Amino acid sequence: CAVLLAAQACSLLAALYFSTPIAAYIASAVFGFAVGVMITLPALIIQRECPPLAFGMLSGLTLAIIQTGNAFGPSILGWLRDATGSYSLPIMVCVALELMAIGIILIRIGPAVKVATN
């Protein structure tokens, strides 16, 4: 997961700093591949880290949080673009969020929940 987030951050930086069309295509492809894989990870993490009885509730809560970010994120980034007149700051904010997510993933708090199977 951290590697995929790092790939996304690098592809955003590549899109920002390399202005050739081929760089934009490659950066978009890398970012899109990583997003495609990342979509399945919340459910896998919940399944591994939480008791089976809590899966439905936690999946719904996770989806609600993700959808809230999906709803407000583009508006916030658009506002930043309009305020600065450039895409540099919004892209750097996205890179910073990717790096924070990597840090959260790499700092593990407590052991995984072990569920006894009968």
Side-chain angles (χ1 to χ4, degrees):
C1 185
V3 170
L4 292 173
L5 288 168
Q8 288 179 333
C10 289
S11 67
L12 286 172
L13 288 173
L16 183 62
Y17 290 111
F18 300 108
S19 60
T20 64
I22 191 71
Y25 289 131
I26 292 171
S28 295
V30 170
F31 192 91
F33 173 74
V35 167
V37 175
M38 295 286 288
I39 288 172
T40 61
L41 285 177
L44 294 173
I45 293 169
I46 292 168
Q47 179 184 11
R48 183 175 191 275
E49 300 292 331
C50 302
L53 292 175
F55 181 80
M57 186 262 313
L58 290 173
S59 293
L61 178 62
T62 302
L63 184 61
I65 293 168
I66 291 169
Q67 291 300 324
T68 301
N70 289 343
F72 291 111
S75 297
I76 294 169
L77 295 175
W79 178 81
L80 284 173
R81 193 263 177 238
D82 290 345
T84 62
S86 169
Y87 285 105
S88 295
L89 181 62
I91 290 175
M92 292 308 293
V93 167
C94 291
V95 169
L97 291 172
E98 298 275 1
L99 296 176
M100 286 192 313
I102 291 170
I104 290 169
I105 289 167
L106 294 178
I107 298 173
R108 184 173 179 99
I109 302 173
V113 176
K114 300 294 180 188
V115 177
T117 56
N118 293 328

